[in-house]
Amino acid sequence: MKIIVTENFDKTCERAAGIIGDVIHNKPDARLGLATGSTAQGVYPYLIAANRAGKLDFSRVNTVNLDEYVGLAPDHPQSYRRFMDENLFDHINIDKKNTIVAKGTGDIEANIKAFREALAEKPIDVQLLGIGVDGHVGFNEPGAVLYDGAHVEELDESTIDANARFFDKREDVPTKAISMGMGDILRAKKLLLLATGENKAEAMKGLLLNEELDVQNPATLVKTHPDLTVIIDRALADRVGYRG
Ligand code: GLP
């Protein structure tokens, strides 16, 4: 595991975008695994700026997203499809046909099957990851078991609380999501996990300070990956007690 400690969150995002850019430079038809949430949101402006400056070409890139809420149509303001369109895809020269976000409405079993088939088509060259307050990655929540492939996940109360900030009322937050499984994430060739904020410190301790693989903190499983880069800011590193 490579751990990079930056001055602040903005530098974390800049660094992450640089790594994603390098992957695309080395492989113009790369498959990117993308993420939603405030952390990933900080990275996308850097990718957009590089694209606008003519330094990064997305014309042959294809993407697959970690997850989508069950019950939100693709055009719902809080759907992850909409998030990706508004925060990245609408601003770069990517062909939307080459962007996969699982569909959260309609026949969910069929949508999972389609998502699984899309994931099996080709490996992810770099997977961007944030981390939930409870250690979830994608929407793989703590539990007695974790899952290999794409599946429906019941969201934890703490996840619903954390994501309520994006909805008018807490009751509007979906209680389920379609998520890549832990196996899907671990099969990506390269993992890039970003974190910021003191509410991520407990989960990050499990990733950075010991060798335990803890199903109650799913992010700890990514430490098994042979090409994992973790980027955190100094404030979070201090909070975690990481001295690197
Ligand atoms: C969301 C997403 C995750 C994300 C996490 C943290 O629920 N499903 O992929 O990493 O929560 O989000 P944020 O970066 O907004 O803290």
Side-chain angles (χ1 to χ4, degrees), residues 36-39 66-67 80 130-131 136 138-139 163 165 200:
T36 51
S38 313
T39 312
L66 284 166
D67 44 22
Y80 284 168
I131 181 171
H136 71 234
F139 265 131
N163 291 354
R165 69 189 193 276
K200 306 290 174 69

Side-chain angles (χ1 to χ4, degrees), residues 58-63 81 89 92-100:
F58 288 87
S59 63
R60 294 172 60 204
V61 166
N62 71 98
T63 70
R81 158 51 71 183
F89 302 148
I92 58 175
N93 71 328
I94 198 162
D95 185 341
K96 287 256 189 100
K97 287 203 296 289
N98 296 333
T99 67
I100 295 162

Side-chain angles (χ1 to χ4, degrees), residues 69 72 76-78 160-174:
Y69 286 119
L72 301 193
H76 186 285
Q78 294 306 331
I160 294 171
D161 287 341
N163 291 354
R165 69 189 193 276
F166 299 113
F167 293 81
D168 290 341
K169 311 191 286 296
R170 190 183 185 279
E171 306 83 78
D172 293 343
V173 185

